[in-house]
Amino acid sequence: MIKKIIGLTAFAATLVAPVFSASADEVNVYSYRQPFLVEPLFNEFTKESGIKVNVVFAKKGMAERLAREGEHSPADVLLTTDISRLIELQEKGLLQAVNSDVLETAIPSQFQADDNTWFGLTTRVRNIYTAKRLGDMAINYEDLADEKYRGKICTRSGKHPYNVALVSSMIAQHGEAKTLAWLEGVKKNLARKPQGNDRGQVQAIHQGLCDVSLGNSYYFGKMLNDDKQKVWADAVNINFPNQANRGAHVNISGVGVAKYAPNKVAAKALLEFLASDKAQQMYAETNMEYPVRAGVKKSELVASWGEFKSDDLPLETIAKHRKAALKLLDQAKFDL
Amino acid sequence: MIFGQRNTPWLTSSWLIALALLAPVLVMLFTSIGNFGELFAHLWQTVLPTYISNTLLLTLYVSLLVLVFGVPSAFFISQTQLIGTNWLRWALLLPLAMPAYLVAYLYTDLFDYAGPVQRLLRAWFGWQSPTDYWFFDLRTLEGAAVVLALVLYPYVYMLTRTALEQQDTSLLRAGRTLGLSARQTLTKIALPLARPAIMVAVTLVMMETIADFATVQYFAVNTLTTAIYDTWLGYGDMAAANALASVLLLFVLFTVVAEQKSRAGQRHQSNRPNMSSDKISLSFSQQVMGLVFCWSLVLLGFALPFALLVSMAIEYAQLEQLGKLAEIGWETLKISAYAATAAVLISLSLALLHRFYPKKLNHLPLQISGFGYAVPGTVLAMALMATFGPIDHWLNDTATWLNWSKPGLMLSGTTFAIIFAFVVRFAAIANGTISAGIGKIPHSIDKAPASLGVGLLATIKRVHLPMLKSSILVAWLLVFVEAMKELPAVLLLRPFNFETLSTFIYQLISDEQLEQGAIGAIFIVLFGLIPIIWLNKNKQ
């Protein structure tokens, strides 16, 4: 028994090994973004600056975790995939202002927080994919509720942040009552219960299960570059909706510095790197996203989809309608 | 009371351990108080009834299916002369190594409209479109139930088999002598005697089903777990999420109490475990039936998904991953082993306490230490942060006050939190298995050493532990395998640069590119096999 206790204590001691704290040449990142995308960027940053990047891929519950950790949090930099997450962090007071001329100049003002707590890095469009068999067409988000698409539409869960942001923008445009009616119309048109991710919907169009789906633009590029998924992408056209009116709904991926960041200097360096020409070029090339920095070229593939008009609704407005959007989705029983 | 009225240090430490394991659950309940407010009303009017009925139906279907899969297979292996029993005996355990979400992904790939099965059917029959024929849709409540049952039935199989094998042969013989047929002996004597073990297994399966997140999410089946996620991550309302989690906990409480009531007063023990060779001989058609039944389970729960993984790995081989995977694999093995060891030691201590001091009150630590099982990993992770956070803050503040260097988030920011979460989640598995084992040791044995002047610790060491060896091993292995597969808690609690095999694979699955991680998935299955092979070796 005594042996066991000694053994237990010994193993307990080995557990509490790496506790992260302040250090001049390290920076700690909480990331919603996926490893395959950000790891090349971080490696490049380490090569240039000599600063080591430690990452937690904390897709869910980042804000909660930060809030609980409070002033002892080891986190320096927070990377997110949509505006609502940034606003959530900002509203909960988990971010600090970063004053940097480099960031101010590199990033257009509509993609920065007024109080400098967050910065957009890339923009992503919510596209409508249509089966090639439907031919070339102009389409609006509103059309998705049109009876002519009965049983033809596929989408991922309505509760996914990308769809919630789209519904929020519909509320901003049409008000809650009309948006609810729209959601109910779209639900009636669904070919199957909302499921899978954006790629899965294009796959379903390829399979002939549906004709129309919602999806972010970069997935199109990703699929075209994947041997197995290329056939899916080849079955659809990518459409930028609402070109004749307000423009396509656009979201951002972005970054902020944690309020209690122990490595503030390194954190600022990382942010400036992510807004640099080189990193923005990597975003464009590896993830087929639209870089926010002016003058950075889109990837050739992305450029081939053509220019488009985007909705200039302020991102804060989208974030503001988020809870209302969630409630409407529940009311329409969109996912059930 | 052979060893005195009470053993205060043991009793105190048992209560402390049990309360520590219960603490996150208590924190969760506490934060939910008074939060069945406006959001809750909104959910109740819209989606909650469907979520609840989905949860109940899924649990019901899975429970029935695991009984249908697990009990007959245990019967064939332990009671009949089925051909190739030595192989089947452990092959039937193999699905345990398969994470359910992995099977879900692989089977959807296989049976989808674009998958090889339907393509083949279309080529054969000349069908052109989905409207030309009917084919089952796996992404449904029923589909989720089948997939979950295929990987969870080994619990029922294993515990039932062990129970049947350790039954007192004389009872069965007596039945036969009194004119019961082989089938009647089984249904009237053997199975009722094995019922406690079967119930323990089904309860484990039910709790596992209630807490499942990845599989139901992949199949777009909205359950209470989904609601908790929505409320917390969507609405950002932790308190309401905790309120929902408390509802879930009520389900569990009900399950646990029902299970214990169902075997109240039953004392089943044997001095002469069933080691005899008088197994039922089977007719030709019974042989065929038994073989088809058992091997189908092995095939569907393990061999087929594994073969799919291997073919993916060959097609998309990324050998440069191997080094990284080995590292991730080693970390995964380590934390799972720590968790399994801790869970087993705790269960032993709590279960033995009740054995030697069989007061009702002394049974409580054992019971409450198992509550964490049905708390979904995410909720548990949040509760753990809420529990450890303040302690960490206090430690840091104290260190600052003493002018020491700050220790950082020692509890909530390291793998300690993950291991603790595993123990809270899976203590119930160890408890169930070890209690069942202890239950089978005749009480008369407890008294013999005392009458010879041997002390309590020596009695446990020399008498009980040896008799419990197989239960301890089974408990350790079950916790180990479950910990290795656990996903949501690790996703939330992991420290910097820390990854387990399941988080690695899940990342790719959620991006529809498991192909890239097929080798990693094979790793998780192979690591899961180690304990199963070991289990088998030790049995013989």
Side-chain angles (χ1 to χ4, degrees):
Chain A
M1 199 66 185
I2 291 163
K3 256 193 217 155
K4 260 181 210 156
I5 292 168
I6 295 171
L8 262 179
T9 322
F11 105 69
T14 64
L15 298 180
V16 194
V19 175
F20 287 82
S21 56
S23 146
D25 47 4
E26 287 192 18
V27 59
N28 301 326
V29 180
Y30 282 7
S31 171
Y32 275 96
R33 306 226 61 177
Q34 300 180 342
F36 72 87
L37 170 69
V38 292
E39 271 166 0
L41 286 163
F42 292 159
N43 290 340
E44 193 59 36
F45 172 67
T46 305
K47 221 165 76 186
E48 278 189 9
S49 65
I51 298 171
K52 184 174 176 251
V53 183
N54 303 307
V55 202
V56 181
F57 294 100
K59 253 191 142 155
K60 297 184 161 85
M62 189 200 284
E64 189 70 29
R65 182 166 174 173
L66 268 174
R68 296 260 184 233
E69 289 172 349
E71 59 189 298
H72 302 298
S73 173
D76 295 307
V77 171
L78 313 162
L79 272 180
T80 80
T81 53
D82 86 322
I83 181 64
S84 307
R85 302 281 178 222
L86 287 171
I87 302 277
E88 184 188 11
L89 294 169
Q90 184 192 29
E91 281 176 351
K92 289 188 171 165
L94 298 168
L95 300 174
Q96 60 172 293
V98 178
N99 296 312
S100 153
D101 292 340
V102 179
L103 292 174
E104 295 283 338
T105 11
I107 301 170
S109 60
Q110 78 260 37
F111 298 130
Q112 298 184 23
D114 294 337
D115 59 357
N116 290 340
T117 49
W118 54 260
F119 301 88
L121 293 172
T122 60
T123 61
R124 45 257 311 274
V125 188
R126 197 81 186 133
N127 296 92
I128 296 178
Y129 294 103
T130 49
K132 278 223 170 104
R133 51 188 173 266
L134 299 187
D136 287 336
M137 59 198 294
I139 192 165
N140 295 326
Y141 296 114
E142 286 77 3
D143 298 335
L144 297 177
D146 192 322
E147 250 182 64
K148 73 176 170 199
Y149 293 120
R150 189 64 37 99
K152 303 278 187 209
I153 295 177
C154 284
T155 175
R156 77 191 312 165
S157 161
K159 297 275 184 74
H160 190 276
Y162 300 159
N163 280 343
V164 174
L166 175 64
V167 178
S168 307
S169 78
M170 293 295 282
I171 296 176
Q173 192 68 32
H174 301 293
E176 289 194 17
K178 276 196 178 154
T179 304
L180 179 61
W182 175 72
L183 276 174
E184 282 165 345
V186 179
K187 184 183 156 63
K188 265 192 210 149
N189 287 348
L190 291 179
R192 58 177 190 187
K193 225 165 43 168
Q195 57 188 261
N197 59 12
D198 283 358
R199 291 179 207 245
Q201 316 313 320
V202 175
Q203 184 192 15
I205 294 182
H206 167 244
Q207 290 170 8
L209 287 174
C210 41
D211 283 343
V212 180
S213 80
L214 278 165
N216 281 4
S217 52
Y218 48 86
Y219 284 113
F220 197 53
K222 291 257 153 207
M223 285 184 287
L224 286 168
N225 284 339
D226 182 309
D227 291 342
K228 183 184 155 195
Q229 299 179 355
K230 188 169 182 306
V231 285
W232 310 348
D234 283 340
V236 301
N237 286 326
I238 179 168
N239 302 282
F240 295 92
N242 296 69
Q243 291 304 294
N245 41 72
R246 66 181 183 277
H249 165 66
V250 168
N251 206 328
I252 56 164
S253 76
V255 71
V257 171
K259 187 173 178 196
Y260 297 106
N263 309 295
K264 213 179 146 181
V265 178
K268 188 172 162 188
L270 179 58
L271 257 60
E272 289 177 350
F273 169 78
L274 291 175
S276 71
D277 271 331
K278 187 172 213 173
Q280 289 281 302
Q281 198 66 55
M282 287 177 82
Y283 270 121
E285 293 292 338
T286 4
N287 207 32
M288 320 272 165
E289 287 179 81
Y290 294 91
V292 290
R293 190 185 176 111
V296 176
K297 273 215 312 226
K298 294 173 206 165
S299 88
E300 225 170 88
L301 185 63
V302 173
S304 74
W305 306 334
E307 293 299 316
F308 65 95
K309 179 181 169 190
S310 54
D311 189 353
D312 56 7
L313 184 72
L315 293 169
E316 282 89 347
T317 312
I318 291 175
K320 197 177 79 195
H321 290 298
R322 199 166 144 275
K323 277 191 184 168
L326 283 167
K327 286 199 169 173
L328 293 187
L329 283 158
D330 276 340
Q331 268 172 26
K333 299 191 179 177
F334 193 81
D335 280 350
L336 298 181
Chain B
M1 305 296 155
I2 323 128
F3 298 98
Q5 282 301 308
R6 52 192 300 151
N7 185 322
T8 316
W10 193 359
L11 192 60
T12 318
S13 60
S14 293
W15 272 101
L16 285 178
I17 291 171
L19 287 175
L21 295 189
L22 189 66
V25 180
L26 289 179
V27 169
M28 188 188 85
L29 288 174
F30 186 71
T31 41
S32 76
I33 292 170
N35 275 295
F36 291 83
E38 190 248 343
L39 181 58
F40 198 83
H42 158 77
L43 290 173
W44 182 250
Q45 281 155 17
T46 55
V47 285
L48 204 52
T50 317
Y51 290 172
I52 291 177
S53 79
N54 279 349
T55 305
L56 289 173
L57 278 177
L58 188 71
T59 314
L60 177 72
Y61 291 165
V62 175
S63 307
L64 290 176
L65 282 173
V66 291
L67 282 174
V68 171
F69 295 165
V71 175
S73 54
F75 160 74
F76 276 119
I77 300 305
S78 64
Q79 307 290 308
T80 74
Q81 292 174 342
L82 193 69
I83 298 165
T85 315
N86 283 340
W87 285 95
L88 265 177
R89 209 183 146 73
W90 62 273
L92 280 163
L93 290 172
L94 292 177
L96 264 189
M98 280 280 170
Y101 56 88
L102 202 57
V103 180
Y105 181 94
L106 292 165
Y107 276 179
T108 334
D109 221 35
L110 185 66
F111 292 116
D112 250 356
Y113 184 77
V117 173
Q118 291 204 49
R119 275 210 309 264
L120 200 66
L121 288 175
R122 285 198 295 274
W124 277 349
F125 296 102
W127 295 321
Q128 300 295 332
S129 78
T131 47
D132 290 350
Y133 62 102
W134 177 90
F135 196 82
F136 66 84
D137 182 7
L138 207 57
R139 291 198 189 204
T140 53
L141 181 73
E142 294 78 13
V146 171
V147 166
L148 283 170
L150 275 176
V151 296
L152 291 175
Y153 84 83
Y155 284 122
V156 177
Y157 159 71
M158 182 161 49
L159 294 183
T160 312
R161 189 194 75 193
T162 315
L164 288 174
E165 278 171 352
Q166 295 183 350
Q167 260 164 15
D168 192 340
T169 336
S170 57
L171 284 175
L172 305 180
R173 285 218 184 97
R176 296 299 287 272
T177 324
L178 292 170
L180 294 181
S181 70
R183 179 179 299 173
Q184 284 169 324
T185 320
L186 179 77
T187 53
K188 296 208 163 140
I189 302 174
L191 282 181
L193 280 173
R195 205 182 73 183
I198 298 175
M199 284 309 294
V200 168
V202 173
T203 316
L204 292 178
V205 169
M206 287 168 104
M207 293 206 256
E208 195 72 53
T209 306
I210 291 173
D212 173 83
F213 174 67
T215 315
V216 289
Q217 193 207 28
Y218 193 72
F219 281 168
V221 177
N222 292 285
T223 61
L224 264 176
T225 322
T226 329
I228 294 168
Y229 269 75
D230 275 5
T231 317
W232 172 41
L233 300 169
Y235 289 105
D237 193 336
M238 186 66 191
N242 277 332
L244 285 174
S246 309
V247 175
L248 199 72
L249 208 65
L250 278 182
F251 280 28
V252 182
L253 210 61
F254 176 76
T255 318
V256 173
V257 171
E259 186 259 323
Q260 300 204 329
K261 277 261 179 309
S262 82
R263 59 188 169 115
Q266 285 196 16
R267 200 179 256 191
H268 45 99
Q269 43 190 249
S270 161
N271 300 334
R272 286 156 294 181
N274 186 359
M275 294 307 190
S276 68
S277 55
D278 55 349
K279 288 184 166 183
I280 301 165
S281 57
L282 298 172
S283 71
F284 178 74
S285 61
Q286 285 168 330
Q287 277 285 355
V288 173
M289 212 174 68
L291 286 172
V292 169
F293 180 78
C294 293
W295 283 110
S296 299
L297 289 175
V298 180
L299 183 76
L300 292 173
F302 181 80
L304 184 57
F306 191 68
L308 290 171
L309 270 182
V310 172
S311 76
M312 269 185 188
I314 292 170
E315 201 179 336
Y316 288 81
Q318 291 189 319
L319 293 177
E320 67 274 12
Q321 273 185 354
L322 282 179
K324 190 182 168 199
L325 278 173
E327 203 179 302
I328 297 176
W330 175 239
E331 288 298 323
T332 314
L333 284 181
K334 252 181 14 193
I335 60 165
S336 310
Y338 291 150
T341 310
V344 163
L345 289 178
I346 289 170
S347 293
L348 265 179
S349 161
L350 301 185
L352 284 169
L353 173 76
H354 177 58
R355 168 73 171 213
F356 286 101
Y357 302 96
K359 274 193 281 185
K360 264 229 163 109
L361 200 62
N362 295 351
H363 197 203
L364 266 179
L366 187 66
Q367 283 177 311
I368 62 180
S369 67
F371 277 1
Y373 195 26
V375 181
T378 315
V379 180
L380 180 61
M382 297 319 305
L384 275 183
M385 279 185 216
T387 316
F388 287 151
I391 303 177
D392 270 332
H393 282 241
W394 179 81
L395 285 172
N396 279 282
D397 293 344
T398 312
T400 314
W401 184 68
L402 289 168
N403 267 333
W404 292 353
S405 67
K406 279 207 285 182
L409 303 170
M410 275 173 35
L411 303 178
S412 59
T414 63
T415 44
F416 174 82
I418 298 180
I419 295 168
F420 194 91
F422 286 168
V423 176
V424 174
R425 261 296 263 124
F426 304 124
I429 300 184
N431 287 349
T433 316
I434 288 175
S435 302
I438 289 180
K440 275 190 236 95
I441 301 175
H443 279 263
S444 53
I445 282 187
D446 301 353
K447 293 171 195 151
S451 64
L452 296 170
V454 177
L456 177 57
L457 272 182
T459 308
I460 290 173
K461 199 174 152 197
R462 288 179 16 210
V463 180
H464 292 81
L465 288 186
M467 292 184 84
L468 282 172
K469 222 168 91 187
S470 77
S471 302
I472 291 173
L473 196 66
V474 171
W476 193 91
L477 292 168
L478 287 177
V479 177
F480 178 86
V481 177
E482 284 307 325
M484 230 181 43
K485 293 186 290 184
E486 217 294 332
L487 181 68
V490 188
L491 275 180
L492 282 166
L493 291 171
R494 58 186 163 164
F496 286 104
N497 310 328
F498 182 84
E499 189 108 53
T500 64
L501 287 170
S502 50
T503 58
F504 177 79
I505 296 161
Y506 177 74
Q507 189 79 43
L508 292 163
I509 285 185
S510 58
D511 205 32
E512 303 274 337
Q513 33 188 7
L514 177 62
E515 299 85 29
Q516 318 287 343
I519 298 181
I522 290 175
F523 263 55
I524 214 177
V525 177
L526 290 182
F527 280 132
L529 288 181
I530 298 171
I532 292 170
I533 292 165
W534 186 22
L535 179 65
N536 178 54
K537 229 171 87 185
N538 275 277
K539 275 269 169 182
Q540 283 168 353

